[in-house]
Amino acid sequence: MKEHFLTSSVQRERDFLSQYEYLVLTVSPVDSLPEARRRLVEHSEYGKWELERSKLYLGGARRFWLRRRVMQVRRTV
């Protein structure tokens, strides 16, 4: 199982008004699907990620795109 962040330079056409950061989770065919589900649940519960897209490839590999809104923190002082 492999996880990697997409850089902020990646822009989606429908996300032009709000900024998102993306996490891509790649699951090979030899990895267990329950373990992948557990990882997705952990990311969504504790990291505030939401599932944007999932894809099943020929051969059994899977890829999940998770996203979360980038929070702009303003100084109050």
Side-chain angles (χ1 to χ4, degrees):
M1 211 169 318
K2 185 170 92 171
E3 297 177 3
H4 69 280
F5 287 96
L6 294 179
T7 61
S8 59
S9 64
V10 174
Q11 295 290 326
R12 297 272 181 143
E13 290 179 9
R14 64 177 178 224
D15 297 338
F16 67 96
L17 290 177
S18 55
Q19 296 289 331
Y20 289 96
E21 57 183 340
Y22 292 89
L23 173 67
V24 180
L25 179 67
T26 305
V27 180
S28 67
V30 295
D31 293 332
S32 68
L33 195 54
E35 176 67 24
R37 285 189 185 127
R38 188 184 63 77
R39 274 237 174 113
L40 288 169
V41 168
E42 284 179 359
H43 281 301
S44 64
E45 284 184 2
Y46 302 116
K48 305 297 184 199
W49 293 95
E50 61 184 23
L51 182 64
E52 182 192 66
R53 181 179 180 193
S54 64
K55 190 165 186 175
L56 175 63
Y57 292 98
L58 289 174
R62 297 172 189 260
R63 186 168 287 168
F64 302 97
W65 283 267
L66 303 166
R67 73 175 184 179
R68 68 178 169 190
R69 192 170 295 235
V70 175
M71 301 212 285
Q72 302 292 332
V73 180
R74 296 183 185 169
R75 293 184 65 161
T76 58
V77 176

